[in-house]
Amino acid sequence: MQDAATHCRVLVLGGYGHFGARIVRALSAETGIELSVAGRGARRQGPPTFADLASDRQARLRYVDLDTAAPDFADQLAAQRPDLVIHTAGPFQGQGLAVARACLRAGAHYVDLADGRDFVREFPTQLDEAARQAGRAAITGASTLPAISSAVVDALRGHFDVLHDIDIVIAPAQRTPLGLATVRAVLSYCGLPFRCWIEGQWRQVVGWRRAARVTFPHMAPRLASPCDVPDHDLLVARYPGVRSVRFRAALELPFLQRALAMIATMRAWGWPVPMMALAPVFARVARAFDGMGTDLGGMYVALRGEREGRPRQLRWDLTAPALHGPEIPCLAAVLLARRLAGGGELPVGAMACMGILTLGDFEGAFEAWGIRSEISED
């Protein structure tokens, strides 16, 4: 347990990125945390990146030059003596576990924002023994999926005798800043088949193809397409008996969604589409249409099942105003860091971020950003 009277040393890998910078800003307000911002060229980039912070918070930041690909990365990391490392430097699709192993060898707890399906699924099996030997937590997927999605299902599961279907949709605001790692993660499975649990069996679904209309209580309807995410495996295992688990993403502008679906179709047909080369192009093109979008983002988790022999459907909706949607994937890591800094414990072992934080934990964090959530029954 971290002594509440001492400083908790937190190091954020990728602290200048799309999500890393938000975590740094949130944790810089915590007087019990000694915060290090790590990245390539960190000392050079630090002051311009965080110039919006108050001077007292800016002064508390430490800038550390760390490159996870460097041969001596593990030694450089250990020299920082962190209590907790938050790894935000994606994309995690295809990324190995060397960073997590280095953190455990350094005696640090490890938390990441991984959204790569294989990465998150295999993480506990590959790292649990090392985490337990180190007496530390190694937590993957401390992001919207599966941290928040599973917390919602956990909170609503008791309202069903039998749970049949889980349907999740994330809908970012068009004006949301796009990190290049996020775009690369999206394009990594665009047009590729992946397994999806539908009606009690595994079926092949193509990423970002076949967009379908979805509705939200406080936003205009959108088109949503299937995405390959850890929840397809994790929620099927966590809720035995569930018949279907579906996850889709819905861009705000329909023609951008259709363009992505067209690219997916071309790739599915075997066209040699240079997906990684398209990442910066797609990011720039998307920005060109920001004037046609809004600052509203959202998410929903819909559950269908039975209660006392009758069909029942509950739906949890979230609405994020003022471009605050990107704060949502950062909340789990921020909450875990605050727990450790406040003298709380993190569970020893390697695991996906499920059952560690509750929906109530997240609801309190939503309020700070004016993010609304509500539950409705059909």
Side-chain angles (χ1 to χ4, degrees), residues 152 299-301 315-318 359 363 366 373-375:
V152 173
M299 172 182 178
Y300 75 65
V301 179
R315 176 166 152 160
W316 176 87
D317 276 281
L318 175 148
L359 182 57
E363 295 284 4
F366 292 156
S373 65
E374 55 196 276
I375 298 173

Side-chain angles (χ1 to χ4, degrees), residues 22 238 269:
R22 288 175 165 81
R238 186 170 178 82
W269 286 351

